[in-house]
Amino acid sequence: ILFQIFDAFKSRLHDSNSKVNQVALETMHKMIPLLKDNLSPVINMLIPAIVDNNLNSKNPGIYAAATNVIQALCQHLDNYLLLQPFCTKAQFLNGKAKQDMTEKLA
């Protein structure tokens, strides 16, 4: 059921409506401390949805919300779960997003 929930939720994480996108990121930020390592089955699906476009967003609210989500992931999930998806994203991103992901990896 976790897959079904987050499969539907991930499209909100990069919704074309910036307000929907930002609220989805803010909601994700609130869910992470509650779900913690239980997110492991969906982490490979979530990280691209969180990072793609959002970390390079020119909208300061979306960028801040995405940064907060990444920070919450680092605080509440086992770093081992984040290593591979973060490495993959750092390899293929550009601009500020690449810098942000590289800093998190370091």
Side-chain angles (χ1 to χ4, degrees):
I1 191 150
L2 197 65
F3 278 108
Q4 294 169 327
I5 292 168
F6 281 100
D7 194 42
F9 185 74
K10 79 174 181 180
S11 61
R12 301 290 68 86
L13 291 168
H14 46 80
D15 198 280
S16 59
N17 181 324
S18 61
K19 290 180 182 176
V20 171
N21 188 356
Q22 186 172 339
V23 168
L25 287 164
E26 291 166 354
T27 302
M28 187 73 225
H29 182 252
K30 292 175 186 170
M31 290 188 315
I32 292 167
L34 302 173
L35 295 173
K36 298 183 181 178
D37 287 341
N38 292 319
L39 287 171
S40 64
V42 294
I43 203 71
N44 288 326
M45 166 180 42
L46 282 179
I47 288 178
I50 293 163
V51 172
D52 294 351
N53 303 322
N54 296 324
L55 280 183
N56 274 331
S57 178
K58 298 200 184 329
N59 180 318
I62 290 174
Y63 174 77
T67 303
N68 288 340
V69 169
I70 296 298
Q71 186 62 39
L73 287 170
C74 292
Q75 286 178 326
H76 297 285
L77 269 73
D78 186 338
N79 288 339
Y80 176 77
L81 294 172
L82 302 174
L83 184 60
Q84 184 60 48
F86 277 20
C87 283
T88 302
K89 284 286 113 193
Q91 259 184 317
F92 297 107
L93 289 170
N94 56 31
K96 182 115 176 82
K98 184 176 189 94
Q99 179 184 341
D100 288 345
M101 292 308 294
T102 304
E103 286 175 9
K104 287 297 174 199
L105 279 167

